[in-house]
Amino acid sequence: MDTLDIKTIREDFPILKREVNGKPLVYLDNGATTQKPKAVIDAIINYYTDMNSNVHRGVHYLSQISTDAFEITRRKVQEFINAKHDYEIIITKGTTDSINLVASCYGQEFISNGDEIIISAMEHHSNIVPWQMICEAKGAILKVIPMTEHGELDMETYKSFLNPKTKIVAVNYVSNALGTINPVKEIIDLAHAQNIPVLIDAAQAVQHIKIDVQALDVDFLVFSGHKMYGPTGVGVLYGKEYWLNKMPPYQGGGDMIKDVTFEKTTYNELPFKFEAGTPNIEAGIALNAAIDYINRLGLDNIKKYEDDLLQYATEKLQEIKGLRIIGTAKEKSSVISFVVEGTHPYDIGVLLDKMGIAVRTGHHCAQPVMEQFHIPGTVRASLAVYNTKEEIDALVAGVNRAVAMLV
Ligand code: 7TS
């Protein structure tokens, strides 16, 4: 497929046909979660209709086919991000779960009093708080890479932060609040020059940009199924075998053990060491369908289409009097955050909703970003492959109407 047929793509997403408040739905809250194509919905229905059974433990037929389907997803994820081994793919509940796992297990083993952890000024709370928690537990220090008024990381300060006390760097690939695409390869190479591992939060990247973990040489990469046309309750932690083997388990329970006695328990091998308990099986299985869907469209095509839409939306929104875009980095992906003089983002969001237009308003779980720009929050339109220029026109008309009512 060279160019995308958006009309046909929209047909794949049943929810896009519905109305909200008597108006056709214009769904521009894809950064929070994307809608699901029929293939993903069918995979969930099919799982319960045809194969429901627990995984990794049954000798019986249904357990074998559900285990096979679950493990196919692991290999599909491996291929999708070009991991070297399938056992480097840990199936988690989502990005938040994956980051907490790394902060806790890596932190337990490798972080001690006086050590430093580097994050950035544009992280989602889920890539701030777990690190703060391990800092508190271990007496470590959190260093925050500042950003410019355009929402770009200050790489000189980052370089100056790196030192023998730095134990890990954790930054996002794409900012959910600003849309900035960060120079992750450079961030990783600089850290590796001093033997420091790097975690990349790809929650807002993996559905827009082709990722190759071996080319990036990233140590940990995390993302959520539900932001990439897949189900909620499932996500991924990619970790290099080297680090995963050195880290203690996260949670104890079934599946993560080899042998249990009351005297001593030995842990299972990768990836199961980090997958205690019954997973979200239907979501794990349906994630396969989401990746197939993305692969069928092609991430290069998706990126090209979304970049064009982002540029169109940026130009059109900028024509609105008093509107200021928050996040004007040179490299951006799929997110436009804005404020309009004399209005509160929440009021604009409520009025847009009355017109059937779904955006997110507020701090987007990135309060420090809002603090830096001295604003209470933004209105955020975040794009997916099924959005259209007509929907952007509806957003622009909606914002104009809302502003006319509010100012
Ligand atoms: N990291 C980034 C960059 C995110 O955008 C989000 C969620 C998370 C981590 C957490 O993902 P979860 O799936 O574990 O919740 N971002 C958003 C958002 O922008 N609006 O709602 C959730």
Side-chain angles (χ1 to χ4, degrees), residues 29 31-33 93-99 122-127 172-177 201-204 222-227 234 360 364-365 380 382:
D29 193 19
T33 197
K93 287 189 287 186
T95 305
T96 303
D97 193 33
S98 300
I99 298 173
M122 63 174 90
E123 298 309 315
H124 186 277
H125 293 165
S126 62
N127 201 28
N172 62 35
Y173 198 140
V174 172
S175 155
N176 72 315
D201 171 357
Q204 300 290 350
V222 300
F223 52 93
S224 297
H226 71 99
K227 293 184 199 288
V234 69
R360 191 171 166 193
H364 317 298
C365 298
R380 182 189 70 178
S382 49

Side-chain angles (χ1 to χ4, degrees), residues 290-306:
I291 295 174
D292 278 345
Y293 190 81
I294 291 175
N295 284 342
R296 192 162 62 75
L297 302 185
L299 268 167
D300 290 342
N301 295 326
I302 293 175
K303 180 157 193 328
K304 207 156 126 232
Y305 177 76
E306 290 177 342

Side-chain angles (χ1 to χ4, degrees), residues 8-26:
T8 310
I9 289 173
R10 288 182 70 81
E11 292 289 319
D12 295 333
F13 292 80
I15 205 169
L16 296 180
K17 289 193 185 72
R18 72 157 291 168
E19 294 193 340
V20 167
N21 290 324
K23 304 282 183 341
L25 169 66
V26 174

Side-chain angles (χ1 to χ4, degrees), residues 346-364:
Y346 177 78
D347 296 333
I348 293 189
V350 169
L351 290 169
L352 287 175
D353 180 53
K354 296 265 185 288
M355 304 172 213
I357 302 168
V359 293
R360 191 171 166 193
T361 66
H363 55 59
H364 317 298

